[in-house]
Amino acid sequence: MSDQRDFDEFLTKFKSHYGLVREELHKVVIGQDEVIEQLLAAVFTGGHCLLVGVPGLAKTLLVSTLARVLDVNFKRIQFTPDLMPSDITGTNVLDEDEHGRREFRFVHGPVFTNVLLADEINRTPPKTQAALLQAMQEKEVSAGQKTYDLPDPFFVIATQNPIEQEGTYPLPEAQLDRFMFNVKVDYPSLDEEERILAATTGGVREEVRKVLSAKSIVYLQKQIAQIEATPRTIQYVARLVRATRPGDDRSPGFVKDLVDWGAGPRAGQYLIQGGKAIAAMDGRPSVTLDDIRRVAVPVLRHRLSTNFQAQAEGVDSVNVVERLVAEVPEPEIAKYE
């Protein structure tokens, strides 16, 4: 009972801190409520985010402001066609001491930080994009004979322009799968745009307070992992993920017709983690199926590929996911006699 009371108290405090973080972010970023919610859900569960939106929608500003509010180390890499893998991870340099002895010394790259903003990640070739693969999965970097651990916590938040094709390199599917959420950053509403114009053309810069530290974020991640996902929730997640695969016997007919390949097991892991973050933000100790449905689109939209028939019918991966969320049945509740 004491442990339960302590956990309930933690959830109450966490909900309050979550509200403070949102409040500070909204001092600088107007609107984008869903984007902020999904970004924080990834942060509180140790996931990475891909922000996709046209230029000028405050993607970079949101990430840099988040790093200031969370009081963590922040580095920004502007991805360009001539960027090399060592420009991200670091490189070995030859040093000579006063006695003439020479030895290699590893110089850390910008990936050694808490929050790494990979700006316009699709502007650099695949060999440089791949420099982040080990960092995103194992949270470490190998150079020469040694492997170096990255700071904890560590997040990659990448941005991408969906309308620009000239001089860009689409992210490989293996790297897309490393991102917990694919977050669509959309245009603001009329009221929000008027407020943006008023706030950004007056010459006054809003200052934000530091709400959380790196140490407290690691603690929050461990506590949120303890939120309960019932067997029924796990069954629903497994059904939803397997329904995206055209080769599965139970997948709907429209998936077999419109999808080339579906999501892997990592999608199910991220659905449950995202659901736990949403539950914690609402101050609840367990995940509901509505929490899973709330994160289904950002988790699944980049993990399935639609075919030519879908393109001809004007159907994209988001349409498929939304239809699956509406049609995949909930597991029946076991009845006790």
Side-chain angles (χ1 to χ4, degrees):
M1 288 295 292
S2 175
D3 290 344
Q4 184 60 46
R5 281 197 301 271
D6 290 345
F7 194 65
D8 290 342
E9 185 179 343
F10 158 75
L11 289 173
T12 303
K13 289 182 178 178
F14 173 76
K15 185 177 179 180
S16 173
H17 279 86
Y18 167 62
L20 287 174
V21 172
R22 285 177 62 99
E23 184 181 318
E24 292 302 310
L25 288 174
H26 278 308
K27 287 182 179 179
V28 178
V29 180
I30 295 170
Q32 305 294 359
D33 290 330
E34 282 192 10
V35 174
I36 290 173
E37 178 184 79
Q38 292 166 14
L39 187 56
L40 290 177
V43 167
F44 293 137
T45 52
H48 310 291
C49 266
L50 178 63
L51 304 181
V52 181
V54 300
L57 295 182
K59 300 186 294 294
T60 302
L61 177 64
L62 172 59
V63 180
S64 60
T65 305
L66 175 66
R68 297 209 314 272
V69 172
L70 298 182
D71 193 20
V72 292
N73 292 327
F74 170 71
K75 298 280 180 65
R76 175 182 181 271
I77 303 175
Q78 179 63 57
F79 279 69
T80 56
D82 61 344
L83 198 71
M84 299 296 289
S86 58
D87 295 328
I88 297 172
T89 59
T91 187
N92 285 309
V93 297
L94 188 62
D95 269 354
E96 183 175 330
D97 62 18
E98 66 243 16
H99 303 294
R101 288 194 297 266
R102 295 180 178 181
E103 61 179 3
F104 282 104
R105 176 174 60 88
F106 182 68
V107 178
H108 289 186
V111 75
F112 287 86
T113 186
N114 296 122
V115 177
L116 178 69
L117 172 58
D119 220 354
E120 297 187 273
I121 192 171
N122 59 331
R123 279 193 168 277
T124 201
K127 71 173 182 180
T128 306
Q129 293 172 353
L132 285 173
L133 286 172
Q134 183 185 12
M136 293 174 71
Q137 184 62 32
E138 281 85 23
K139 298 188 177 180
E140 61 187 25
V141 168
S142 295
Q145 300 294 320
K146 293 185 178 180
T147 298
Y148 303 88
D149 291 330
L150 295 174
D152 198 14
F154 173 72
F155 317 101
V156 173
I157 304 175
T159 68
Q160 190 169 297
N161 179 354
I163 60 174
E164 197 166 35
Q165 306 301 324
E166 190 75 24
T168 60
Y169 305 84
L171 282 173
E173 283 71 18
Q175 188 145 15
L176 279 173
D177 197 51
R178 296 286 203 280
F179 288 100
M180 178 177 183
F181 289 146
N182 181 324
V183 182
K184 182 181 180 183
V185 185
D186 214 340
Y187 292 108
S189 66
L190 174 60
D191 174 63
E192 290 169 349
E193 191 148 3
E194 289 173 352
R195 287 162 54 202
I196 290 170
L197 296 175
T200 56
T201 57
V204 178
R205 183 183 176 184
E206 286 281 356
E207 293 297 327
V208 296
R209 294 179 298 158
K210 295 175 172 58
V211 177
L212 296 172
S213 65
K215 187 176 180 180
S216 62
I217 292 170
V218 174
Y219 170 76
L220 291 175
Q221 290 174 350
K222 291 178 180 177
Q223 293 299 312
I224 290 172
Q226 297 180 34
I227 287 179
E228 183 185 16
T230 64
R232 183 168 179 260
T233 301
I234 292 172
Q235 288 172 17
Y236 177 74
V237 169
R239 289 184 184 184
L240 185 60
V241 172
R242 293 180 69 84
T244 67
R245 304 168 188 164
D248 192 275
D249 294 338
R250 296 187 179 182
S251 63
F254 71 90
V255 170
K256 298 181 186 297
D257 293 337
L258 303 176
V259 176
D260 277 340
W261 44 264
R266 188 180 281 139
Q269 295 170 341
Y270 283 151
L271 282 170
I272 292 174
Q273 289 179 16
K276 288 185 176 185
I278 296 297
M281 291 172 183
D282 288 344
R284 291 180 281 105
S286 62
V287 182
T288 67
L289 300 191
D290 284 337
D291 295 331
I292 302 300
R293 287 187 276 261
R294 199 157 146 188
V295 298
V297 169
V299 168
L300 295 173
R301 68 167 17 128
H302 56 300
R303 290 188 163 86
L304 53 90
S305 174
T306 52
N307 57 27
F308 179 76
Q309 182 179 338
Q311 295 173 22
E313 295 179 13
V315 175
D316 60 13
S317 61
V318 174
N319 302 133
V320 174
V321 174
E322 289 174 343
R323 189 169 171 185
L324 282 172
V325 167
E327 294 187 13
V328 170
E330 298 181 2
E332 294 181 3
I333 301 175
K335 297 180 180 179
Y336 297 95
E337 298 180 358

